[in-house]
Amino acid sequence: MIEVQHISKKFGDRVVLNDVSMTFIQGNTNLVIGGSGNGKTVLMKCMIGLLEVDQGNILYDQRNFTVMDFKERKPVRQEIGMVFQGGALFDSMDVEENVIFPMSMFTSWSDAEKVERANFCLQKVNLPNANRLKISELSGGMRKRVAIARAIALKPKYLFCDEPNSGLDPKTSHVIDELLKEITDEFQITTIINTHDMNSVVEIGERIFFINKGQKAWEGSLDDVLQTDNQELNDFIFSSKLMKGLRK
Amino acid sequence: MFKLLAQVGKYSLFMKGLFAKPEKFSVYLRQTALEMATMAWGSIGIVALISSFLGAVVAIQSAYNLSNPFVPISAVAWVTRDSMILEFASTIICLVLAGKIGSSIASELGTMRVTEQIDALEIMGINSSGYLVLPKIVAALLVFPILVIISMFLGIAGGYIGCITAGVMTSADFRKGVIEDFIPFNVTFSLIKTVLYAFAITSVSSYQGYYTDGGALEVGRSSTKAVVYSCTLILVLDYITTQLLLA
Ligand SMILES: Nc1ncnc2c1ncn2[C@@H]1O[C@H](COP(=O)(O)OP(=O)(O)OP(=O)(O)O)[C@@H](O)[C@H]1O
Ligand SMILES: [Mg+2]
């Protein structure tokens, strides 16, 4: 469980997050939705400590991450998997080396064990024979999947995904959504996904948080989201013809 | 002026951050070996080419300028030797390496920054600056002196070949001149300079790349800055060390 308590973040005098509080439950796919530029990525970066919050606390299973220094954060960070918006794969390494990298850094497993784990993770993301491919040889969807494989390599307790299916075709993005849901259930991960894709919300959303202009404007379950009378959320969800049709 | 001080402060903090305890020593060691191999193989060709031509040109030019009948022609050999050892092999070669290795370090780290690879390291709990930069600095401290020693030999060899083929002097004259009044400290001095240059080039270029902010355009800018600052520092260091150690 991750608790975000009253966090605020400013850049200069521009307020990007304003008193945001959320609780993300273990074993759930928690979706953070909101329009472009409303602060989803900043929220995620604050949670994992790539940005420091100006106010508020972030608790990983009661451990207050905000007050820790770099050294104290280390053990928590090793329980975190992160899939960046652009993948952030190490392009000096091939696919297998990318997945093995966190294991080399933080475990004393033998080479055979590492390769076995890497193969398992690559199997999970449906890339069984890609081990020796270079990062530059991968398509956008494959990159996302390798990034997911790397993120789950050390069996994380917390998984963060920043727009895992932006820029992907509907079928691949469906595959990735299902995959995230599946590993969340299977390994009882606390998963947090930033998205503005309503398909994902409908398919895998268990708990949904709506961020608008740097504030949490709404939270609820999937059933609630389609029947909300929150005006801004309605505008956001039913902006497409498809979703309007769905409501009818 | 204030901006410069702020930069120096940030650079010092960056350098301090490098020396945190490594996550895994074996990974650092392997990374250092890899960097050494890349640096050595990537630069040996250009170092060899430049050194031998420089040596040949220096030798022929000094022969051309040496019209005094009281100075023996073998002086050309030790002039070439001392120029190569004292200045060309270290300073000129390191200026070239600043262009080659400095820009590649800055663009590598810059690209890693803008594609969030550095962030990815950070959130894994890895000291990204230590992991990425320390192996490069250590590798340079070990590889540069070797390259410079090779450059000294090739420069003198280039001078020899240049003199012989231009018919300036006999092979025996050159061999006699080249060992005349040899001061071993000159080699030490040159290697001291090289070590300082190596540190300056890698740390400044890493700093420029590591703190790239923006996109592909800024990566290019960082890499240009890395080369300009490294070269400037080399010249300043050259002046200071020569003042301190030789004057
Ligand atoms: N490093 C930064 N410095 C200054 N402002 C920033 C910085 N990072 C983000 N912002 C600002 O914070 C706001 C929120 O950005 P953020 O990236 O969180 O949006 P987002 O909800 O993730 O959007 P998208 O869906 O397009 O990814 C934006 O207006 C952006 O300009
Ligand atoms: Mg974003």
Side-chain angles (χ1 to χ4, degrees), chain B residues 68-111:
Chain B
N68 189 332
F70 294 107
V71 180
I73 190 70
S74 63
V76 168
W78 59 257
V79 166
T80 308
R81 179 198 69 204
D82 284 353
S83 320
M84 279 317 292
I85 289 180
L86 274 177
E87 195 62 17
F88 289 130
S90 50
T91 306
I92 301 288
I93 290 302
C94 283
L95 283 171
V96 171
L97 292 177
K100 195 166 180 310
I101 292 175
S103 69
S104 100
I105 288 179
S107 54
E108 179 190 335
L109 293 183
T111 307

Side-chain angles (χ1 to χ4, degrees), chain A residues 5 60 72 106 117 152 238 241:
Chain A
Q5 300 173 338
Y60 284 83
E72 293 167 326
F106 295 111
R117 175 75 190 159
I152 61 173
F238 300 108
K241 272 197 187 123

Side-chain angles (χ1 to χ4, degrees), chain B residues 12-133:
Chain B
S12 320
L13 283 179
F14 174 69
M15 293 319 294
K16 195 173 145 242
L18 300 186
F19 296 100
K21 188 171 162 287
E23 281 71 31
K24 200 130 187 222
F25 194 68
S26 59
V27 178
Y28 272 60
L29 214 59
R30 209 189 50 214
Q31 205 62 18
T32 308
L34 264 173
E35 293 289 352
M36 283 177 71
T38 341
M39 272 181 204
W41 283 129
S43 318
I44 187 81
I46 185 103
V47 167
L49 187 76
I50 292 177
S51 316
S52 37
F53 273 88
L54 265 180
V57 170
V58 169
I60 296 171
Q61 271 189 9
S62 9
Y64 172 76
N65 288 323
L66 196 90
S67 47
N68 189 332
F70 294 107
V71 180
I73 190 70
S74 63
V76 168
W78 59 257
V79 166
T80 308
R81 179 198 69 204
D82 284 353
S83 320
M84 279 317 292
I85 289 180
L86 274 177
E87 195 62 17
F88 289 130
S90 50
T91 306
I92 301 288
I93 290 302
C94 283
L95 283 171
V96 171
L97 292 177
K100 195 166 180 310
I101 292 175
S103 69
S104 100
I105 288 179
S107 54
E108 179 190 335
L109 293 183
T111 307
M112 291 190 79
R113 168 64 75 192
V114 301
T115 56
E116 297 181 312
Q117 294 176 50
I118 291 184
D119 288 344
L121 286 170
E122 282 289 316
I123 68 121
M124 285 176 192
I126 294 165
N127 173 11
S128 61
S129 59
Y131 169 75
L132 292 171
V133 177

